[in-house]
Amino acid sequence: MDAEEFRKHGHEAVEAIVAYMENINDRPVRSQVAPNYLRQSVPKHAPKEPEDFDQVMKDFNSDIMPGITHWHSGKFCAYYPTAFSYPSMLGEMYMAMLGVNASTWAASPAATELEYITMDWVAKLIGLSDAFLNTGKGGGVIQNSASDATLLVMAAARTRILDHLSTQETIDPHVAATKLVAYSSDQTHSSCQKAAKILGLRFRALPTRDDCILRGDVVRQAMREDIAQGLIPCYITVTIGTTSTGAVDDITSIVEACKDTQVWVHVDAAYAGSAMVCPEFRHFMKGVDQVDSFDFNMHKWLLIHFDCSCLFVKDRGLLVRISTGAPDARATTNPTPSTTLSDTPDLRPQSLEVGGTESGESTTTTTRVESLTDFGPSTNRRFRALRLWFTIRSYGQSGLQNFIRNHINLMRYFQTFLAADGRFEVLTPVHFSLIGLRLNPELCQRVDLGMGGVPDKSNPELRNNAANARLHGMINEAGVFLTKSDLHGKTFIRVSIGAF
Ligand code: PLP
């Protein structure tokens, strides 16, 4: 494709994008295709010869579009939202135009510097304390996802505790590495357990009651039990806005339970963190000043396209210390199982080792700009901050706040219908733009369960679950996309508002 062809198809693309967004509600929100549908139409081998781009676009419309679920449709109230905005879309285009890799400072100074600056903007917009700003010891960097952020801080937590234990001389750090425990609640996103599995840490999901809130007394008790068993508490995820019901853990009491320990407290606010741009929701942040790290996804609910998970830590130095974990090849030359990525240049690609200014070290001043490459497993990364800069400037603080408040007001409006209707019960308090609801139990007994029937008539809870599952299926067939979930054995329907 040459520049002229690009101009033609580029103009068509912008028109197609605007037409798509303007007419999105006319489409069925859920894809209607059957599994493996694409194998029928897309050839098994890549084309040998170049193809005409008009033909590619024709196939895009006939083959790809039918397999799309329309996340930005007004009929999409499933999962949690994913973000869209026109300035962020333009940011994507210019990011593609520049096509730089943001690794070290010299690899593209603006890409590195803008990320630190815009992450400080974001920290201030959501009311984080100065301890999380890049101007001090702490700071924020963009991660691919909240799951990646959890993995990274859990690795940093492991390094911190092993470093600490190596100074105690009461336990061999290699033995200690096998005894570390990561905690979460039974409502925490599954990525926490996944991170523990990847890192080889023991994992314990602590029970919550009907309100889905994890509290300090449960954490303290669990840590005591584990210490008595010879285990070593190391890390905990605390959630603002759990995936299933949007519950908020009791951060203050959990921080208190972890005080005077080496346990790393991480706040996962993947969804609800965006609401913190509005001061009226900041009471949910109580205790965040005391934690080690905080992450939320602007790519969920704050107008920036995936991927934009904003991770803030109190101690940037620890973040770059990626632990090697249990003894491995390097452990033979390294007396403890932990290592610091940034001070082991032998482990780093040659291309990054080309002199002082590569890392932003100034020859004339004492200024230094740290390499983004040290803040996660990826050596290179996209110029993701450009989308933040475009979007935050285009909306301003007031525009971001209005965006969130609009969704929350829509949820309140929806609740007035529910209250007037009287056929539903709401499971947990509604803090943001997610609600979990069920049909009233007496109505459940009267619902026609259709072909599936109910497995055990003597168990009313099973019948209630089947009735709610049936209702959920009927709503989705009617053309709105909702997801269902399970809370302590109760099936319920989630309604999540957040589409652009
Ligand atoms: N944490 C919470 C509370 C979530 O709700 C989700 C996804 O919905 C995640 C983490 C995972 O987010 P990501 O897809 O960015 O890894």
Side-chain angles (χ1 to χ4, degrees), residues 104-330:
T104 60
W105 177 83
S108 212
T112 300
E113 294 193 18
L114 195 64
E115 181 153 337
Y116 292 132
I117 293 167
T118 50
M119 287 299 279
D120 281 354
W121 283 10
V122 172
K124 290 175 192 166
L125 281 169
I126 62 169
L128 284 178
S129 74
D130 290 358
F132 291 99
L133 297 183
N134 283 301
T135 41
K137 194 179 161 205
V141 280
I142 302 173
Q143 302 294 322
N144 299 325
S145 68
S147 310
D148 284 13
T150 299
L151 180 65
L152 188 63
V153 293
M154 205 185 278
R158 181 176 64 177
T159 292
R160 180 170 81 177
I161 201 157
L162 291 178
D163 283 356
H164 171 75
L165 292 171
S166 68
T167 63
Q168 304 284 300
E169 291 178 6
T170 49
I171 182 165
D172 177 347
H174 296 91
V175 176
T178 66
K179 297 191 176 296
L180 303 178
V181 190
Y183 301 88
S184 78
S185 87
D186 55 10
Q187 299 299 310
T188 305
H189 191 265
S190 57
S191 51
C192 183
Q193 180 169 16
K194 193 174 174 186
K197 271 191 189 157
I198 292 171
L199 294 170
L201 266 56
R202 292 161 196 257
F203 172 76
R204 201 168 156 189
L206 306 175
T208 56
R209 293 194 287 262
D210 279 353
D211 61 10
C212 303
I213 299 172
L214 182 64
R215 293 186 173 81
D217 54 343
V218 174
V219 176
R220 189 176 286 109
Q221 176 64 22
M223 292 196 311
R224 269 194 201 134
E225 287 164 9
D226 287 343
I227 291 167
Q229 300 284 321
L231 300 176
I232 305 169
C234 160
Y235 169 93
I236 187 165
T237 290
V238 181
T239 308
I240 300 180
T242 57
T243 311
S244 195
T245 65
V248 179
D249 289 337
D250 182 353
I251 304 173
T252 313
S253 70
I254 295 171
V255 164
E256 186 59 30
C258 297
K259 209 168 107 191
D260 303 326
T261 72
Q262 289 292 314
V263 174
W264 182 294
V265 183
H266 174 61
V267 173
D268 175 2
Y271 153 69
S274 296
M276 304 308 147
V277 294
C278 305
E280 63 269 31
F281 297 110
R282 299 245 179 95
H283 58 96
F284 290 116
M285 299 267 274
K286 197 156 174 260
V288 165
D289 284 359
Q290 309 302 316
V291 306
D292 295 289
S293 51
F294 178 96
D295 182 80
F296 83 106
N297 287 349
M298 288 186 84
H299 69 236
K300 266 191 169 40
W301 196 18
L302 210 55
L303 297 155
I304 314 280
H305 286 85
F306 191 90
D307 46 348
C308 188
S309 194
C310 301
L311 173 64
F312 299 92
V313 292
K314 281 258 185 70
D315 186 343
R316 280 204 310 279
L318 268 170
L319 193 65
V320 299
R321 292 169 63 79
I322 305 296
S323 170
T324 57
D328 65 6
R330 267 171 290 174

